[in-house]
Amino acid sequence: MPRTLRYVPPGGSLVEVTVRTLQSQYLLRPSPSLNEIVGGVLGRAQTLHPVRCHAAVFLSTHFHLLLSVDDAKQMSDFMQFVNTNLTKEINRLRKREGTAWGDRYRSIPVSEEEAAQVERLRYLLSQSVKEGLVAHARDWPGVHCIRQILAGAIRGLWFDRTREFAARNRGEDFGRLQYATEEVFELTPLPCWAHLPSEVYRQRIAELMGEIESEAAAELAKAGREPLGVGAVLRMDPETRPERSKKSPAPMFHAATKAMRKALREAYALFVAAFREASEHLRSGDRNARFPVGSFPPGLPFVTEEATGPP
């Protein structure tokens, strides 16, 4: 079955990005070392590929990002940097080899509707609580945006492994932080709430979090269970995996109304049709085949507005 084409609506979009670990292993199990690495990689990636991030959560088996991107290439460049460098650092930390991820990242555009955007923010905020891991999201020992939203950033360390390698080859002794720099991964308000004063925005986040934690507590009480707890989370073996991994079909778009979902699907259908037609021309030998703006033609550069003129 062919992969779904990467698609970002013209003019940019809010997108929810999800990445899952290989075989749902606990490779992202929180620790001070992993947390500082995650923050450092995210910060360096944002410096090189300036996406806007509104929420970020890293659980032991997967992570979610809520990003505003200009186009599919910006998103792709950012995620390639994040996934590649996190894999290298996870392997170094866990003393393992190979990929850390089960598949390529999943990206789902979110409509401009306030209800749709708030619902996705709510979903990310609920991570760690809705799974019954901790009672309060602020207790999650890994990277969780609820703590950093108030400060406006996630901080971490970027380790320059190239300079470390060169220093070792020169026979130099150096400390763990000698070639490390602090990186800041900035968090910005949700697009539909960007107009709100900062104190109002924080209040709305607090209200959402209160609702989420109350609902999770009620579900646990109904089931006669207690949260797993921080201690149990930190004792998880990174190389093991849960007995059952929850994987549900992902929608193509997140929208609040049927009309908006229909409009987004129709726009995507036109995008796919144009891509397939251009692919047919390319396979027949036409190197000037016109691929739609915002697409990745096979073996050719990403198509931008500037690239659609005569060859």
Side-chain angles (χ1 to χ4, degrees):
M1 181 177 179
R3 287 180 169 180
T4 302
L5 295 179
R6 293 284 187 215
Y7 176 71
V8 172
S13 176
L14 180 69
V15 292
E16 180 189 356
V17 175
T18 301
V19 180
R20 298 189 180 279
T21 59
L22 181 66
Q23 298 178 335
S24 296
Q25 296 178 54
Y26 300 124
L27 297 176
L28 290 170
R29 186 203 65 192
S31 70
S33 295
L34 183 66
N35 293 348
E36 69 181 7
I37 286 169
V38 168
V41 169
L42 289 175
R44 181 57 62 96
Q46 191 178 51
T47 298
L48 297 173
H49 311 289
V51 303
R52 285 81 65 203
C53 183
H54 315 293
V57 182
F58 282 69
L59 298 191
S60 297
T61 62
H62 63 282
F63 68 87
H64 297 285
L65 302 171
L66 196 56
L67 308 172
S68 285
V69 298
D70 297 332
D71 54 37
K73 187 176 189 305
Q74 185 189 54
M75 177 177 65
S76 177
D77 290 344
F78 175 84
M79 289 307 303
Q80 181 179 31
F81 186 94
V82 169
N83 283 350
T84 298
N85 285 280
L86 278 182
T87 292
K88 293 177 181 178
E89 294 297 338
I90 288 170
N91 287 351
R92 178 185 295 269
L93 186 65
R94 308 298 189 202
K95 296 180 174 56
R96 64 185 297 279
E97 296 180 347
T99 183
W101 316 119
D103 201 352
R104 67 175 189 161
Y105 68 90
R106 185 185 73 199
S107 60
I108 304 176
V110 183
S111 76
E112 296 180 351
E113 301 161 294
E114 180 177 357
Q117 295 190 8
V118 173
E119 192 277 331
R120 296 327 296 167
L121 175 61
R122 194 181 197 280
Y123 178 76
L124 265 68
L125 291 175
S126 72
Q127 298 295 303
S128 76
V129 175
K130 74 178 182 64
E131 294 85 358
L133 299 174
V134 291
H136 303 283
R138 63 179 179 273
D139 295 334
W140 177 248
V143 172
H144 195 300
C145 60
I146 190 59
R147 291 190 298 273
Q148 288 86 4
I149 277 178
L150 299 180
I154 293 173
R155 298 179 183 275
L157 293 176
W158 169 260
F159 294 89
D160 193 328
R161 303 304 185 188
T162 302
R163 294 179 66 192
E164 289 182 2
F165 179 77
R168 279 193 294 271
N169 283 345
R170 294 192 299 267
E172 296 180 8
D173 291 327
F174 55 89
R176 187 179 76 91
L177 301 180
Q178 184 166 337
Y179 297 109
T181 55
E182 184 181 50
E183 294 287 342
V184 178
F185 185 55
E186 295 186 358
L187 298 175
T188 56
L190 205 60
C192 66
W193 285 352
H195 64 287
L196 297 175
S198 57
E199 62 274 13
V200 176
Y201 184 76
R202 289 195 295 269
Q203 179 60 34
R204 291 198 180 184
I205 297 297
E207 291 172 356
L208 277 178
M209 201 70 251
E211 294 173 2
I212 291 166
E213 292 175 346
S214 295
E215 291 172 7
E219 287 295 321
L220 285 174
K222 183 178 178 180
R225 295 170 46 215
E226 294 287 336
L228 188 62
V230 172
V233 169
L234 297 179
R235 288 192 295 271
M236 292 175 176
D237 182 351
E239 298 297 327
T240 61
R241 56 180 179 171
E243 294 181 3
R244 286 182 293 179
S245 180
K246 180 182 178 183
K247 289 184 179 180
S248 55
M252 290 184 60
F253 303 98
H254 290 302
T257 62
K258 183 177 180 180
M260 180 58 73
R261 280 191 293 274
K262 180 180 178 182
L264 289 170
R265 284 181 175 274
E266 289 176 349
Y268 177 69
L270 292 174
F271 176 82
V272 171
F275 187 92
R276 288 177 175 170
E277 181 179 358
S279 295
E280 290 293 332
H281 286 291
L282 184 63
R283 280 195 292 269
S284 67
D286 181 6
R287 297 288 293 178
N288 296 319
R290 298 300 190 193
F291 282 85
V293 172
S295 67
F296 292 92
L300 296 173
F302 178 77
V303 181
T304 62
E305 291 284 356
E306 293 77 11
T308 58

